[in-house]
Amino acid sequence: MSGPLASWAELLRVSALFTVPGDALAGAAAMGLRPNRSTLLAIGSSLCLYEAGMALNDWADRAEDAVDRPHRPIPSGRITPGAALAASAALTAAGLGLAARAGRPALAVATGLAATVWSYDLHLKHTSAGPAAMAAARALDLLLGATATGGSPSPSPRPPSLRLRSARPLASAALLAAHTYAITAVSRHEAQGGSTRAPALALAATLAVAATAARPTAGNRTSPTSARLVAAALAAGYARTPAAPFLHAALNPSPPLTQRSVGAGIRALIPLQATLAARSGAPITALALLGLAPLARTLARKVSPT
């Protein structure tokens, strides 16, 4: 891949796109429902809003990147700031449009997600609230999938059993948010390095999330024994993905090792999403999500996810 296409792929971090569909699918699983047309719309919305955030991030950081990362598409002159900002706005509009087709509840969640993304990139990223804002964005992404799947574009009310399920995705969203918070805290040091505390805390958070996610939720669709075994195996795979890179970065907080740990944390989102689906009783969804991991690793060798 070369030329303008490669520059846009780098700006949009296309290798990280494989970490996005699992949010909506884990949300659908947490609702105890099979993915449907609205789930696909939520995935499309999530992909657009994620890419909008990537483009806006580099637009907002163009002065900083000119010093720390002059090879990035905007400071190197391969993509103009105006084009990046226009792409972010267009992708945001597309994401909200897809969410609207999934129903007004999904649009409401997507609007909150878009507002969080723009607030993070334009201001919160450089404040102490940055990791929390990014964690909230991932949690909202999962809730977007849950809301879209469990909602209905029609005016008919949802059945009581479905309304009772609506609280279940909150637990999955909290686990996803905890992992995202940890990655974001480490990523704040990837340009200069120097932090041993952030990767050490990220390692502890990973182990805690894995231990919690290994326990199946009440009322899942599979037998307790099989759900426990599948969730435990997937949770172990999730923890193993970023554990060693986080430990290495804690022992030697150089920029390369810190960046490597952030990349591993991003890749770990896929096995975490699979674990969340399995603990909710959706093993087929979990296995399908695991199939995205090799694709993400292959593309990450060509386009960095950070």
Side-chain angles (χ1 to χ4, degrees):
M1 188 184 297
S2 61
L5 186 60
S7 298
W8 280 102
E10 183 181 349
L11 179 81
L12 298 175
R13 276 72 151 194
V14 294
S15 62
L17 277 179
F18 294 103
T19 70
V20 178
D23 291 345
L25 292 172
M31 288 290 289
L33 299 172
R34 296 181 183 277
N36 54 32
R37 174 181 174 274
S38 293
T39 312
L40 295 178
L41 289 171
I43 291 174
S45 175
S46 297
L47 289 169
C48 288
L49 294 177
Y50 186 88
E51 292 291 49
M54 293 297 101
L56 185 63
N57 175 80
D58 278 23
W59 178 84
D61 285 354
R62 60 193 185 280
E64 179 181 328
D65 285 345
V67 177
D68 296 329
R69 297 177 177 179
H71 61 280
R72 295 290 301 160
I74 293 178
S76 66
R78 288 176 286 145
I79 294 178
T80 66
L85 183 59
S88 181
L91 286 164
T92 299
L96 294 177
L98 288 170
R101 296 184 61 186
R104 281 182 290 183
L107 176 60
V109 176
T111 300
L113 173 56
T116 302
V117 168
W118 279 72
S119 297
Y120 173 83
D121 283 335
L122 296 181
H123 176 63
L124 296 177
K125 174 170 51 181
H126 298 295
T127 71
S128 59
M134 184 60 74
R138 273 288 178 177
L140 285 170
D141 203 29
L142 186 146
L143 296 176
L144 173 58
T147 303
T149 305
S152 173
S154 67
S156 59
R158 293 185 298 169
S161 60
L162 197 56
R163 288 198 297 269
L164 291 175
R165 294 177 188 172
S166 61
R168 295 179 187 173
L170 295 177
S172 293
L175 292 172
L176 188 62
H179 177 81
T180 305
Y181 187 102
I183 300 173
T184 308
V186 177
S187 72
R188 292 160 74 89
H189 305 278
E190 62 180 334
Q192 291 83 22
S195 174
T196 60
R197 183 171 180 269
L201 291 176
L203 176 59
T206 297
L207 298 177
V209 169
T212 304
R215 297 193 292 270
T217 58
N220 60 51
R221 297 191 300 270
T222 58
S223 68
T225 300
S226 61
R228 187 178 298 110
L229 291 174
V230 173
L234 291 174
Y238 150 68
R240 187 170 58 250
T241 302
F246 281 150
L247 179 59
H248 293 161
L251 295 175
N252 179 12
S254 64
L257 289 181
T258 302
Q259 292 167 14
R260 189 176 302 169
S261 71
V262 174
I266 293 173
R267 291 194 304 275
L269 283 165
I270 295 176
L272 175 57
Q273 293 157 347
T275 304
L276 296 177
R279 79 191 295 261
S280 298
I284 295 177
T285 296
L287 293 176
L289 284 172
L290 283 183
L292 297 176
L295 299 175
R297 284 196 301 269
T298 299
L299 192 54
R301 297 189 187 103
K302 300 179 180 180
V303 182
S304 173
T306 63

